[in-house]
Amino acid sequence: MKNGIRPLVIGNWKMNPQSSLVAQKLITNIKKELKGIRDTEVVVAPPTLYLSTAEAVRGGSKSFTLGAQNVHHEKLGAFTGEVSIPMVRSFGVTHVILGHSERRAQGETDELINKKLHAVVQAGLVGVVCVGEEKRDQSGNYLNVIEAQIRSSLSKIAKAKLSSVVIAYETVWAIGTGQTATPNDVHEMKLFIEKVLTDIYGRSVAGHMRILYGGSVNLKNAIDLFREGAVAGFLVGGASLHPIEFKEIVRATNHG
Ligand code: PGA
């Protein structure tokens, strides 16, 4: 616990692994490794197709819950290829990742992310809103990018719903590249995000929101990023496919 905030680590499997059988083995091993973990909230977000298997393997585990990597904002209807919130919720999903840069790169806008966030919190799930700059410039313009993403994605989200909103700061240049932002970069950005949230919602609420870091988090850098970055936890991509490394990252968030 840091400032009364329980750490949160989310494993984003992205479009991995290649078959349901391998997914089953992976979730089984993750469950084994995470056994007994309570101090940190852990969420595993497999591809939608594997949610059924993951739910069956998870059983009643108290060590982790399941997340979705994306949803549609409508409950049902003529939306070919899409998946709704009630659908993922029926497989025990508690958290939904929204606006990941890999989806923004395919045209997902802040406006759409905002619609999805409204639908997610309305349904009683937690929305994990990803924000991040593509590159950094000397003039600090990247800060305006982050501020605009936060303001639009959270537009008209009521204060009372903020306990169901998590912000994941993911430097796009650090995702899957092995080039992590430094703990100092992360700390600065965490303070900036808090300032933007304070401007919108006031200090008492903003100070309790969970801000995560994502982008090439691994077992070597997790402790420093958590301590010095002063974030509430991590959104982990590649390393979440390795159960032992994932567990070590989770454990790094217990080094207050
Ligand atoms: P990475 O991905 O850990 O593989 O860099 C993070 C993410 O995209 O969520």
Side-chain angles (χ1 to χ4, degrees), residues 10-12 14 97 100-102 130 170-171 174-178 213-218 235-240:
I10 303 174
N12 173 13
K14 308 192 178 183
I97 300 170
H100 191 280
S101 61
E102 287 153 16
C130 303
E170 299 213 304
T171 42
I175 293 178
T177 59
Y213 169 73
S216 294
V217 176
N218 59 41
L235 179 52
V236 185
S240 72

Side-chain angles (χ1 to χ4, degrees), residues 132-194:
E133 78 281 9
E134 274 172 41
K135 54 182 184 325
R136 290 202 165 188
D137 54 316
Q138 295 294 329
S139 54
N141 197 41
Y142 63 94
L143 294 173
N144 300 333
V145 171
I146 305 290
E147 175 159 4
Q149 286 177 343
I150 294 175
R151 286 187 180 274
S152 328
S153 313
L154 269 62
S155 174
K156 298 199 167 68
I157 293 288
K159 246 188 200 183
K161 294 284 185 198
L162 289 180
S163 54
S164 301
V165 179
V166 172
I167 306 287
Y169 168 58
E170 299 213 304
T171 42
V172 178
W173 47 270
I175 293 178
T177 59
Q179 262 188 62
T180 331
T182 65
N184 196 39
D185 289 336
V186 171
H187 188 216
E188 263 178 29
M189 190 56 86
K190 187 245 176 183
L191 293 176
F192 178 73
I193 292 172
E194 249 170 25

